[in-house]
Amino acid sequence: MPIVRIDLAEGRDPDTLRACLHAVHAAIRDSLGVRDEQIRVLLNEIPPRLWSSGGQTLAERATHTEREQER
Ligand SMILES: O=C(O)/C=C/C=C(\O)C(=O)O
């Protein structure tokens, strides 16, 4: 049973997330040749304040980017 887990930053709209689930499902089905009911795709949304990248949270990065754009 293929299980795909995807961590992504929280904040995308439900339609976008659903499109991602369907696209990943189809890619697994078509590439591995397994039946639909065997496939699991899990999206795990991480709050930007809990995701550190390069020593800075995504929330901090967004704040800094906004400040840069205001200058
Ligand atoms: O780790 C990073 O630098 C950024 C990650 C961003 C995502 O995963 C996202 O847009 O969901």
Side-chain angles (χ1 to χ4, degrees):
M1 176 184 290
I3 302 176
V4 180
R5 299 175 194 270
I6 302 171
D7 289 337
L8 73 171
E10 191 177 57
R12 292 173 174 85
D13 67 84
D15 287 344
T16 299
L17 297 175
R18 191 175 306 109
C20 178
L21 287 169
H22 289 182
V24 172
H25 175 96
I28 294 298
R29 181 194 58 216
D30 298 344
S31 62
L32 299 180
V34 293
R35 297 192 311 276
D36 285 330
E37 60 270 24
Q38 294 178 305
I39 301 167
R40 307 288 183 268
V41 185
L42 297 86
L43 294 182
N44 187 28
E45 292 191 281
I46 309 294
R49 65 186 168 79
L50 297 179
W51 185 308
S52 174
S53 172
Q56 187 177 53
T57 69
L58 297 185
E60 291 166 340
R61 184 195 297 171
T63 300
H64 293 156
T65 301
E66 284 172 16
R67 286 192 188 138
E68 289 294 322
Q69 290 172 346
E70 289 170 2
R71 289 183 188 169

